[in-house]
Amino acid sequence: MTEDKKVDRKCKRFAARLKSKGISCSNMPGPNLVLCNVGQATGLVKDDILNLCNYLPAIKLRKFIAEKGESYSFLVFDTKESASVFFNEYNGKNCFNNGTFLYMCYVDSVPDTEVLCPYSNPEGLLLVEDFINIDEEKAFVDLFNFKETNSSLKNRQVKHFGYEFRYGSNDVDLNSPLPDKIPKECDILWTRLKSYGIDLDPPDQLTVNKYMPGQGIPSHVDKHSPFGPTILSLSLGSSVVMDWKHHSGKSLPIIIPARSMLVMQGEARYDWQHGIQPRTWDPIIEYTLQGNQRVKVITSDTTNRQTRISLTFRWTRSGKCDCPYKTLCDASNSTEELDDAVASNLEELHVHQVYERIAEHFSSTRHSTWPRVLQFLRQVPSGAVLLDLGAGNGKNLLHRTDILQIAGERSSGLLNECKSYVGEVGTVDCVRLDLLQAGLKDSCADFIICIAVIHHFSTQSRRVQAVATIARLLRPGGRALITVWAKDQTRSNYLCREKDKEVQSNSTVEVAGLTLPVHENRTQFQHKDLLVPWKLRGMKENKLADKPECTLLRYYHVFEEGELDELCELSSLLVESSFYEEGNWCVVCKKI
């Protein structure tokens, strides 16, 4: 068999495999090629292809598409003649330093993976590239590249100066200053900022984060009341793409290069959230012109991350925030400053009393166990003790007699529903239980599930206490599954697409001196602390009434990505996995 026939035969085999992925290869030359056996999954990067094109100066490559996790990729040339030159030169040839032979086919179409981002950077955001030089960067890396520290989080290593930044509550304790102050070597930064029109006194708080490839930080806004109107971030080492999100629905990526200074003031400081996705790569962002506007294009091409160190400088303050940006402001719509008695009263009115009234109706709407909850429960071995904290109507309890199960529920109405549901299972005890004051013995459980409960606690300290109870009840080596409602509902079936086009609800309710927004059901959440309506329908002869009797309001604190993970870490629980399922953030954690 001739060499050309061998290559043709291999290409046909690849074409048959690609067909199962919806990629139809063609024998007719055109401007598009699929590289059948090389892609992101094999380590291919754009530079590898550009190097091959450099030997063929007459051709012009318009686009390189390598989708994440795939072992194939696409090339789009300016003409079919350019594609044919590349095809004839390299098909079936040893093209790379690692000895990989390249096989390709023509295709009629390629996936459109590019995303246009029409939004401008947030007002008040200043990114100064090359703010420090290479020698200064090396000096800062040597100063802050700590190799060991007792302060570390799942997603990064961290160290604090001046005051410890508390990730659980996003603030500092002004009564507990740290012995380590901001090093004097940083003083050159404030002096240099003056040349950019930014005249600042030296900050008094510094957080140093060390990110390895694959690590990130959840989307957040630096809490308003504990910190002043300026936040600074100096980047060392690897560049990174930082994602910015506005509560109006705008989102955009911003490349943060090494040695750059990011200055956040105004809207950027108070009205936008920012975060870094936990991944080993970032998309390459290019620009195109639409009319007279320069628009970002998020390409399918990627670049690998390296180690990055960020220095975040803050100015601490006390008292309530008086900024005009109310949506994300803790002084206007957050429950964080409530004392425990007021928070308890809020939950009594808008959690406990509501569930007592809606218990029968609520139970009638809850039937099946979520897939990932069921997956977790299937791991419970014979002889184990399983706690369901906040068991509701008991739908998640197992019909097994070889394990001991305890169903704990705060609502007496739901507890009665639970007893009816598990009445046939002789190894289930149903007990009335408050998660903040659970009268159960320490280290009594091998497995715990706590499904859709923690989001009903109205302050950070009470949420921390609830997770600490779970940690207390677990035996060493025991595992727990905790789920909470997510603020981001764009990946769930909760949203009603027609309602998304309507004006959001502007109604509010005054509770304990706090103004809480009332959520419009089936729409994207606009606030983290809010009241969600339940339209109560009565039951008659085991059937729901056609019309609601009344509307009751349940309190929720909806969670940002990573927020539940940090609650677990505060209780020294090891987070084994963290995932999103149908509008909920879920964590599987282990007691060490």
Side-chain angles (χ1 to χ4, degrees), residues 298-352:
I298 306 170
T299 73
S300 60
D301 197 7
T302 62
T303 181
N304 292 328
R305 286 184 188 169
Q306 306 299 324
T307 300
R308 174 177 176 263
I309 297 174
S310 71
L311 313 182
T312 301
F313 299 93
R314 302 178 180 92
W315 286 254
T316 63
R317 62 180 297 277
S318 58
K320 286 191 174 183
C321 176
D322 59 357
C323 76
Y325 306 99
K326 299 303 181 185
T327 299
L328 301 179
C329 186
D330 55 291
S332 61
N333 66 346
S334 170
T335 61
E336 295 310 310
E337 294 184 4
L338 294 180
D339 64 40
D340 203 58
V342 175
S344 178
N345 185 52
L346 168 61
E347 293 162 20
E348 177 63 28
L349 292 173
H350 289 284
V351 180
H352 306 314

Short mmCIF file of all heavy atoms in Angstrom, two decimals, residues 298-352:
data_model
loop_
_atom_site.label_atom_id
_atom_site.label_comp_id
_atom_site.label_asym_id
_atom_site.label_seq_id
_atom_site.Cartn_x
_atom_site.Cartn_y
_atom_site.Cartn_z
N ILE A 298 -14.01 37.01 22.91
CA ILE A 298 -13.49 35.90 23.71
C ILE A 298 -13.34 34.71 22.78
O ILE A 298 -14.32 34.12 22.34
CB ILE A 298 -14.43 35.56 24.88
CG1 ILE A 298 -14.73 36.81 25.71
CG2 ILE A 298 -13.83 34.48 25.76
CD1 ILE A 298 -15.83 36.61 26.73
N THR A 299 -12.11 34.38 22.42
CA THR A 299 -11.85 33.33 21.43
C THR A 299 -11.84 31.96 22.10
O THR A 299 -11.83 31.83 23.33
CB THR A 299 -10.51 33.57 20.73
OG1 THR A 299 -9.44 33.27 21.63
CG2 THR A 299 -10.39 35.02 20.26
N SER A 300 -11.80 30.93 21.29
CA SER A 300 -11.69 29.56 21.80
C SER A 300 -10.24 29.18 22.06
O SER A 300 -9.96 28.13 22.62
CB SER A 300 -12.30 28.58 20.80
OG SER A 300 -11.63 28.65 19.56
N ASP A 301 -9.32 30.04 21.64
CA ASP A 301 -7.91 29.78 21.89
C ASP A 301 -7.59 30.10 23.34
O ASP A 301 -8.25 30.94 23.97
CB ASP A 301 -7.06 30.65 20.95
CG ASP A 301 -5.63 30.15 20.86
OD1 ASP A 301 -5.35 29.07 21.40
OD2 ASP A 301 -4.81 30.84 20.24
N THR A 302 -6.59 29.42 23.88
CA THR A 302 -6.29 29.58 25.30
C THR A 302 -4.80 29.78 25.52
O THR A 302 -3.97 29.49 24.65
CB THR A 302 -6.74 28.36 26.12
OG1 THR A 302 -6.02 27.20 25.67
CG2 THR A 302 -8.23 28.12 25.97
N THR A 303 -4.49 30.26 26.70
CA THR A 303 -3.10 30.35 27.17
C THR A 303 -3.04 29.75 28.56
O THR A 303 -3.99 29.88 29.34
CB THR A 303 -2.61 31.81 27.17
OG1 THR A 303 -1.26 31.87 27.59
CG2 THR A 303 -3.45 32.67 28.10
N ASN A 304 -1.95 29.09 28.87
CA ASN A 304 -1.82 28.42 30.16
C ASN A 304 -1.44 29.41 31.25
O ASN A 304 -0.63 30.32 31.04
CB ASN A 304 -0.76 27.31 30.09
CG ASN A 304 -1.20 26.16 29.21
OD1 ASN A 304 -2.40 25.86 29.12
ND2 ASN A 304 -0.27 25.50 28.57
N ARG A 305 -2.04 29.23 32.42
CA ARG A 305 -1.68 30.06 33.57
C ARG A 305 -0.40 29.54 34.23
O ARG A 305 -0.09 28.35 34.17
CB ARG A 305 -2.79 30.04 34.62
CG ARG A 305 -4.02 30.82 34.27
CD ARG A 305 -4.98 30.78 35.46
NE ARG A 305 -6.28 31.35 35.15
CZ ARG A 305 -7.34 31.25 35.92
NH1 ARG A 305 -7.26 30.59 37.07
NH2 ARG A 305 -8.49 31.79 35.57
N GLN A 306 0.30 30.46 34.88
CA GLN A 306 1.43 30.12 35.73
C GLN A 306 1.10 30.59 37.14
O GLN A 306 0.00 31.07 37.42
CB GLN A 306 2.70 30.78 35.20
CG GLN A 306 3.00 30.49 33.73
CD GLN A 306 3.20 29.01 33.44
OE1 GLN A 306 3.76 28.29 34.26
NE2 GLN A 306 2.73 28.55 32.28
N THR A 307 2.05 30.48 38.05
CA THR A 307 1.83 30.96 39.42
C THR A 307 1.66 32.47 39.42
O THR A 307 2.39 33.20 38.75
CB THR A 307 3.03 30.57 40.31
OG1 THR A 307 3.16 29.15 40.30
CG2 THR A 307 2.81 31.04 41.74
N ARG A 308 0.66 32.93 40.18
CA ARG A 308 0.38 34.37 40.26
C ARG A 308 0.28 34.77 41.73
O ARG A 308 -0.29 34.05 42.54
CB ARG A 308 -0.92 34.70 39.54
CG ARG A 308 -1.37 36.16 39.71
CD ARG A 308 -2.63 36.44 38.89
NE ARG A 308 -3.11 37.79 39.11
CZ ARG A 308 -4.08 38.11 39.98
NH1 ARG A 308 -4.67 37.15 40.69
NH2 ARG A 308 -4.47 39.35 40.13
N ILE A 309 0.84 35.93 42.05
CA ILE A 309 0.72 36.50 43.39
C ILE A 309 0.05 37.85 43.26
O ILE A 309 0.45 38.68 42.45
CB ILE A 309 2.11 36.65 44.06
CG1 ILE A 309 2.76 35.27 44.25
CG2 ILE A 309 1.99 37.37 45.40
CD1 ILE A 309 4.17 35.33 44.77
N SER A 310 -1.02 38.05 44.03
CA SER A 310 -1.71 39.35 43.99
C SER A 310 -1.59 40.01 45.36
O SER A 310 -1.70 39.36 46.39
CB SER A 310 -3.18 39.18 43.62
OG SER A 310 -3.90 38.58 44.67
N LEU A 311 -1.36 41.32 45.34
CA LEU A 311 -1.31 42.13 46.55
C LEU A 311 -2.53 43.05 46.54
O LEU A 311 -2.64 43.92 45.68
CB LEU A 311 -0.03 42.98 46.61
CG LEU A 311 1.30 42.28 46.29
CD1 LEU A 311 2.46 43.28 46.45
CD2 LEU A 311 1.51 41.07 47.17
N THR A 312 -3.46 42.82 47.46
CA THR A 312 -4.67 43.64 47.53
C THR A 312 -4.58 44.56 48.73
O THR A 312 -4.49 44.09 49.88
CB THR A 312 -5.93 42.77 47.64
OG1 THR A 312 -6.00 41.90 46.50
CG2 THR A 312 -7.19 43.63 47.67
N PHE A 313 -4.60 45.86 48.47
CA PHE A 313 -4.46 46.88 49.51
C PHE A 313 -5.81 47.52 49.79
O PHE A 313 -6.54 47.89 48.86
CB PHE A 313 -3.46 47.97 49.08
CG PHE A 313 -2.08 47.45 48.82
CD1 PHE A 313 -1.69 47.08 47.53
CD2 PHE A 313 -1.16 47.33 49.85
CE1 PHE A 313 -0.40 46.61 47.28
CE2 PHE A 313 0.13 46.86 49.61
CZ PHE A 313 0.51 46.50 48.32
N ARG A 314 -6.14 47.68 51.07
CA ARG A 314 -7.42 48.27 51.47
C ARG A 314 -7.18 49.30 52.57
O ARG A 314 -6.19 49.23 53.30
CB ARG A 314 -8.39 47.20 51.97
CG ARG A 314 -8.70 46.09 50.99
CD ARG A 314 -9.63 45.06 51.60
NE ARG A 314 -9.96 43.96 50.70
CZ ARG A 314 -9.29 42.82 50.63
NH1 ARG A 314 -8.25 42.63 51.44
NH2 ARG A 314 -9.65 41.87 49.80
N TRP A 315 -8.14 50.22 52.70
CA TRP A 315 -8.15 51.21 53.76
C TRP A 315 -9.33 50.88 54.66
O TRP A 315 -10.49 50.90 54.21
CB TRP A 315 -8.30 52.62 53.19
CG TRP A 315 -7.06 53.15 52.52
CD1 TRP A 315 -6.20 54.09 53.02
CD2 TRP A 315 -6.54 52.79 51.22
NE1 TRP A 315 -5.18 54.33 52.13
CE2 TRP A 315 -5.36 53.55 51.02
CE3 TRP A 315 -6.93 51.89 50.23
CZ2 TRP A 315 -4.59 53.43 49.86
CZ3 TRP A 315 -6.17 51.78 49.08
CH2 TRP A 315 -5.02 52.55 48.91
N THR A 316 -9.10 50.54 55.91
CA THR A 316 -10.20 50.17 56.79
C THR A 316 -10.94 51.40 57.29
O THR A 316 -10.40 52.50 57.35
CB THR A 316 -9.70 49.34 57.99
OG1 THR A 316 -8.82 50.15 58.78
CG2 THR A 316 -8.98 48.09 57.53
N ARG A 317 -12.21 51.20 57.65
CA ARG A 317 -13.04 52.26 58.19
C ARG A 317 -14.07 51.63 59.12
O ARG A 317 -14.23 50.41 59.14
CB ARG A 317 -13.74 53.05 57.08
CG ARG A 317 -14.68 52.21 56.26
CD ARG A 317 -15.38 52.98 55.14
NE ARG A 317 -16.23 54.04 55.65
CZ ARG A 317 -17.46 53.87 56.08
NH1 ARG A 317 -18.01 52.66 56.10
NH2 ARG A 317 -18.17 54.88 56.51
N SER A 318 -14.78 52.44 59.87
CA SER A 318 -15.85 51.94 60.74
C SER A 318 -17.13 52.71 60.44
O SER A 318 -17.10 53.77 59.83
CB SER A 318 -15.47 52.09 62.22
OG SER A 318 -15.20 53.46 62.52
N GLY A 319 -18.25 52.16 60.90
CA GLY A 319 -19.54 52.81 60.67
C GLY A 319 -20.19 52.29 59.41
O GLY A 319 -19.61 51.55 58.62
N LYS A 320 -21.46 52.71 59.20
CA LYS A 320 -22.21 52.27 58.04
C LYS A 320 -21.72 52.96 56.77
O LYS A 320 -21.28 54.10 56.80
CB LYS A 320 -23.71 52.56 58.23
CG LYS A 320 -24.40 51.62 59.20
CD LYS A 320 -25.90 51.79 59.14
CE LYS A 320 -26.61 50.76 60.02
NZ LYS A 320 -28.08 50.87 59.92
N CYS A 321 -21.82 52.25 55.67
CA CYS A 321 -21.47 52.82 54.38
C CYS A 321 -22.57 53.78 53.93
O CYS A 321 -23.76 53.52 54.13
CB CYS A 321 -21.30 51.70 53.34
SG CYS A 321 -20.97 52.29 51.67
N ASP A 322 -22.18 54.91 53.34
CA ASP A 322 -23.17 55.88 52.84
C ASP A 322 -23.04 56.07 51.33
O ASP A 322 -23.37 57.12 50.79
CB ASP A 322 -23.04 57.21 53.57
CG ASP A 322 -21.64 57.82 53.41
OD1 ASP A 322 -20.77 57.16 52.79
OD2 ASP A 322 -21.42 58.94 53.91
N CYS A 323 -22.54 55.03 50.63
CA CYS A 323 -22.35 55.13 49.18
C CYS A 323 -23.71 55.17 48.47
O CYS A 323 -24.73 54.73 49.02
CB CYS A 323 -21.52 53.95 48.66
SG CYS A 323 -22.46 52.41 48.55
N PRO A 324 -23.75 55.66 47.23
CA PRO A 324 -25.02 55.70 46.48
C PRO A 324 -25.34 54.39 45.77
O PRO A 324 -26.36 54.30 45.10
CB PRO A 324 -24.78 56.82 45.45
CG PRO A 324 -23.30 56.79 45.21
CD PRO A 324 -22.67 56.39 46.53
N TYR A 325 -24.48 53.39 45.89
CA TYR A 325 -24.67 52.13 45.17
C TYR A 325 -25.30 51.12 46.13
O TYR A 325 -24.61 50.41 46.87
CB TYR A 325 -23.32 51.62 44.64
CG TYR A 325 -22.59 52.64 43.81
CD1 TYR A 325 -21.56 53.41 44.36
CD2 TYR A 325 -22.92 52.85 42.47
CE1 TYR A 325 -20.88 54.34 43.60
CE2 TYR A 325 -22.26 53.79 41.70
CZ TYR A 325 -21.23 54.53 42.28
OH TYR A 325 -20.57 55.47 41.52
N LYS A 326 -26.60 51.03 46.12
CA LYS A 326 -27.33 50.31 47.18
C LYS A 326 -27.49 48.81 46.93
O LYS A 326 -27.70 48.06 47.87
CB LYS A 326 -28.72 50.94 47.36
CG LYS A 326 -28.68 52.41 47.78
CD LYS A 326 -27.88 52.60 49.06
CE LYS A 326 -27.84 54.06 49.51
NZ LYS A 326 -26.97 54.24 50.70
N THR A 327 -27.41 48.37 45.68
CA THR A 327 -27.75 46.97 45.39
C THR A 327 -26.84 45.99 46.12
O THR A 327 -27.31 45.00 46.68
CB THR A 327 -27.68 46.71 43.87
OG1 THR A 327 -28.62 47.56 43.21
CG2 THR A 327 -28.02 45.26 43.56
N LEU A 328 -25.54 46.25 46.14
CA LEU A 328 -24.59 45.34 46.78
C LEU A 328 -24.12 45.86 48.12
O LEU A 328 -23.21 45.29 48.72
CB LEU A 328 -23.38 45.12 45.86
CG LEU A 328 -23.67 44.53 44.48
CD1 LEU A 328 -22.39 44.39 43.68
CD2 LEU A 328 -24.36 43.18 44.59
N CYS A 329 -24.75 46.91 48.61
CA CYS A 329 -24.27 47.56 49.85
C CYS A 329 -24.79 46.82 51.08
O CYS A 329 -25.99 46.60 51.22
CB CYS A 329 -24.70 49.02 49.88
SG CYS A 329 -24.00 49.92 51.28
N ASP A 330 -23.91 46.48 51.98
CA ASP A 330 -24.32 45.77 53.20
C ASP A 330 -25.10 46.68 54.14
O ASP A 330 -25.81 46.19 55.02
CB ASP A 330 -23.09 45.22 53.92
CG ASP A 330 -22.06 46.27 54.24
OD1 ASP A 330 -21.42 46.79 53.29
OD2 ASP A 330 -21.88 46.59 55.41
N ALA A 331 -25.00 48.00 53.97
CA ALA A 331 -25.74 48.91 54.84
C ALA A 331 -27.20 49.05 54.44
O ALA A 331 -28.02 49.51 55.23
CB ALA A 331 -25.09 50.29 54.83
N SER A 332 -27.55 48.62 53.21
CA SER A 332 -28.92 48.88 52.75
C SER A 332 -29.79 47.63 52.69
O SER A 332 -30.96 47.68 52.99
CB SER A 332 -28.87 49.52 51.35
OG SER A 332 -28.24 48.65 50.43
N ASN A 333 -29.22 46.50 52.29
CA ASN A 333 -30.09 45.33 52.13
C ASN A 333 -29.44 44.05 52.63
O ASN A 333 -29.75 42.97 52.18
CB ASN A 333 -30.50 45.15 50.66
CG ASN A 333 -29.31 44.81 49.79
OD1 ASN A 333 -28.17 44.96 50.20
ND2 ASN A 333 -29.58 44.36 48.59
N SER A 334 -28.52 44.17 53.58
CA SER A 334 -27.89 42.99 54.13
C SER A 334 -28.32 42.80 55.57
O SER A 334 -28.64 43.75 56.27
CB SER A 334 -26.37 43.12 54.06
OG SER A 334 -25.76 42.09 54.79
N THR A 335 -28.30 41.58 56.04
CA THR A 335 -28.66 41.26 57.42
C THR A 335 -27.43 41.10 58.30
O THR A 335 -27.56 40.74 59.47
CB THR A 335 -29.45 39.95 57.44
OG1 THR A 335 -28.62 38.90 56.91
CG2 THR A 335 -30.71 40.04 56.61
N GLU A 336 -26.24 41.37 57.76
CA GLU A 336 -25.02 41.00 58.47
C GLU A 336 -24.85 41.74 59.80
O GLU A 336 -24.18 41.25 60.70
CB GLU A 336 -23.80 41.25 57.58
CG GLU A 336 -23.75 40.36 56.36
CD GLU A 336 -23.95 38.89 56.71
OE1 GLU A 336 -23.26 38.38 57.62
OE2 GLU A 336 -24.82 38.26 56.11
N GLU A 337 -25.40 42.95 59.93
CA GLU A 337 -25.19 43.71 61.15
C GLU A 337 -26.29 43.49 62.18
O GLU A 337 -26.31 44.14 63.22
CB GLU A 337 -25.06 45.20 60.81
CG GLU A 337 -23.81 45.51 59.99
CD GLU A 337 -23.61 46.99 59.74
OE1 GLU A 337 -24.42 47.79 60.28
OE2 GLU A 337 -22.68 47.36 59.04
N LEU A 338 -27.23 42.59 61.92
CA LEU A 338 -28.29 42.30 62.88
C LEU A 338 -27.70 41.59 64.09
O LEU A 338 -26.84 40.72 63.96
CB LEU A 338 -29.34 41.40 62.25
CG LEU A 338 -30.18 41.97 61.09
CD1 LEU A 338 -31.16 40.92 60.62
CD2 LEU A 338 -30.90 43.23 61.51
N ASP A 339 -28.16 41.97 65.29
CA ASP A 339 -27.73 41.18 66.44
C ASP A 339 -28.51 39.87 66.45
O ASP A 339 -29.49 39.68 65.73
CB ASP A 339 -27.87 41.95 67.75
CG ASP A 339 -29.32 42.30 68.09
OD1 ASP A 339 -30.21 41.45 67.88
OD2 ASP A 339 -29.56 43.43 68.57
N ASP A 340 -28.06 38.93 67.27
CA ASP A 340 -28.59 37.57 67.21
C ASP A 340 -30.08 37.51 67.55
O ASP A 340 -30.82 36.72 66.94
CB ASP A 340 -27.79 36.67 68.14
CG ASP A 340 -27.87 35.22 67.73
OD1 ASP A 340 -27.50 34.90 66.59
OD2 ASP A 340 -28.34 34.40 68.55
N ALA A 341 -30.52 38.32 68.49
CA ALA A 341 -31.93 38.30 68.88
C ALA A 341 -32.83 38.77 67.74
O ALA A 341 -33.88 38.18 67.47
CB ALA A 341 -32.15 39.17 70.12
N VAL A 342 -32.40 39.83 67.05
CA VAL A 342 -33.18 40.34 65.92
C VAL A 342 -33.17 39.34 64.77
O VAL A 342 -34.20 39.09 64.13
CB VAL A 342 -32.64 41.72 65.48
CG1 VAL A 342 -33.38 42.19 64.22
CG2 VAL A 342 -32.79 42.74 66.59
N ALA A 343 -32.00 38.73 64.51
CA ALA A 343 -31.91 37.73 63.44
C ALA A 343 -32.81 36.54 63.74
O ALA A 343 -33.49 36.01 62.85
CB ALA A 343 -30.46 37.28 63.29
N SER A 344 -32.83 36.12 65.00
CA SER A 344 -33.69 35.00 65.40
C SER A 344 -35.15 35.34 65.20
O SER A 344 -35.95 34.50 64.74
CB SER A 344 -33.41 34.64 66.87
OG SER A 344 -34.26 33.60 67.29
N ASN A 345 -35.53 36.57 65.52
CA ASN A 345 -36.91 37.00 65.33
C ASN A 345 -37.29 37.04 63.85
O ASN A 345 -38.40 36.63 63.46
CB ASN A 345 -37.12 38.37 65.96
CG ASN A 345 -38.56 38.83 65.89
OD1 ASN A 345 -39.47 38.11 66.29
ND2 ASN A 345 -38.78 40.02 65.37
N LEU A 346 -36.36 37.51 63.01
CA LEU A 346 -36.59 37.53 61.57
C LEU A 346 -36.85 36.12 61.05
O LEU A 346 -37.79 35.88 60.28
CB LEU A 346 -35.38 38.14 60.86
CG LEU A 346 -35.30 37.99 59.33
CD1 LEU A 346 -36.48 38.65 58.65
CD2 LEU A 346 -33.99 38.55 58.81
N GLU A 347 -36.03 35.17 61.48
CA GLU A 347 -36.21 33.78 61.03
C GLU A 347 -37.50 33.17 61.59
O GLU A 347 -38.15 32.38 60.90
CB GLU A 347 -34.99 32.95 61.45
CG GLU A 347 -33.72 33.37 60.72
CD GLU A 347 -32.46 32.88 61.43
OE1 GLU A 347 -32.55 31.95 62.24
OE2 GLU A 347 -31.38 33.45 61.17
N GLU A 348 -37.86 33.55 62.81
CA GLU A 348 -39.11 33.04 63.38
C GLU A 348 -40.30 33.48 62.53
O GLU A 348 -41.20 32.69 62.22
CB GLU A 348 -39.27 33.53 64.82
CG GLU A 348 -40.57 33.12 65.48
CD GLU A 348 -40.74 31.63 65.64
OE1 GLU A 348 -39.72 30.91 65.74
OE2 GLU A 348 -41.90 31.16 65.63
N LEU A 349 -40.30 34.76 62.12
CA LEU A 349 -41.42 35.31 61.36
C LEU A 349 -41.45 34.82 59.92
O LEU A 349 -42.52 34.51 59.38
CB LEU A 349 -41.35 36.85 61.37
CG LEU A 349 -41.60 37.55 62.71
CD1 LEU A 349 -41.33 39.04 62.57
CD2 LEU A 349 -43.04 37.31 63.17
N HIS A 350 -40.26 34.77 59.29
CA HIS A 350 -40.23 34.54 57.85
C HIS A 350 -39.57 33.22 57.44
O HIS A 350 -39.30 33.03 56.25
CB HIS A 350 -39.55 35.72 57.15
CG HIS A 350 -40.39 36.96 57.15
ND1 HIS A 350 -41.46 37.12 56.31
CD2 HIS A 350 -40.34 38.07 57.92
CE1 HIS A 350 -42.03 38.29 56.53
NE2 HIS A 350 -41.37 38.89 57.52
N VAL A 351 -39.34 32.34 58.41
CA VAL A 351 -38.92 30.97 58.09
C VAL A 351 -39.81 29.99 58.86
O VAL A 351 -40.64 29.28 58.27
CB VAL A 351 -37.43 30.73 58.41
CG1 VAL A 351 -37.05 29.28 58.05
CG2 VAL A 351 -36.54 31.69 57.63
N HIS A 352 -39.69 29.98 60.17
CA HIS A 352 -40.35 28.94 60.97
C HIS A 352 -41.88 29.03 60.91
O HIS A 352 -42.55 28.02 60.67
CB HIS A 352 -39.86 29.01 62.42
CG HIS A 352 -38.37 28.95 62.55
ND1 HIS A 352 -37.61 28.04 61.86
CD2 HIS A 352 -37.49 29.70 63.28
CE1 HIS A 352 -36.34 28.21 62.16
NE2 HIS A 352 -36.24 29.21 63.01
#
